[in-house]
Amino acid sequence: MIISTYAALLAFYYIYLSFNVINVRRAAQISLGEGENPQLQRAIRAHGNFMEYVPFAIILLFLAEYQGLASHYCHALGAMLLIGCVFHNFGIVEKNLKYRQIGVIATFLTMLISALVILLTRFS
């Protein structure tokens, strides 16, 4: 299973995002909510965005691989998702719209291609 490698790497990245929120909370001394702190708002949003898209994307990638998607395509899609997550996080945290757009496009393309592969292999 190739996608399990990317799921593990993304788990590490999720832990990184979680610790980023914790560190910003600790520095700002905000234990609950965002306290109208822009840096904390961005860290929470980056963390939340990951949780909104990555689990579903991983499921789609797994199903595409399970249905027989070639290994090089699995690697390409897994890498695209991972890179997209990194870019999206940088885009949010560093307030760089270009990076955020790259991240969103990479994540959506991963999901779209995976869903198409699932449907096309299922009905062919």
Side-chain angles (χ1 to χ4, degrees):
M1 295 296 300
I2 292 164
I3 298 306
S4 60
T5 301
Y6 292 97
L9 293 172
L10 287 160
F12 288 130
Y13 197 66
Y14 177 76
I15 292 167
Y16 162 77
L17 293 172
S18 299
F19 274 105
N20 188 45
V21 172
I22 292 166
N23 290 334
V24 174
R25 281 189 185 286
R26 191 174 292 150
Q29 298 183 350
I30 301 170
S31 65
L32 187 61
E34 58 195 39
E36 297 184 28
N37 181 307
Q39 185 181 8
L40 182 54
Q41 289 172 345
R42 289 191 301 273
I44 290 170
R45 191 62 236 133
H47 181 265
N49 180 269
F50 185 98
M51 283 309 299
E52 291 167 2
Y53 291 99
V54 171
F56 191 57
I58 286 292
I59 291 168
L60 289 170
L61 287 169
F62 169 78
L63 292 172
E65 181 178 18
Y66 184 74
Q67 285 184 205
L69 184 63
S71 62
H72 57 283
Y73 292 124
C74 291
H75 279 296
L77 290 170
M80 186 164 55
L81 179 61
L82 180 61
I83 291 166
C85 289
V86 171
F87 268 93
H88 198 260
N89 175 56
F90 285 145
I92 292 173
V93 173
E94 301 297 325
K95 296 187 286 187
N96 185 321
L97 185 59
K98 188 71 165 175
Y99 284 167
R100 191 167 184 190
Q101 290 170 337
I102 291 169
V104 168
I105 290 168
T107 302
F108 284 173
L109 274 176
T110 301
M111 294 172 74
L112 178 67
I113 292 168
S114 298
L116 287 172
V117 165
I118 292 166
L119 289 175
L120 293 174
T121 57
R122 180 77 176 129
F123 296 111
S124 63

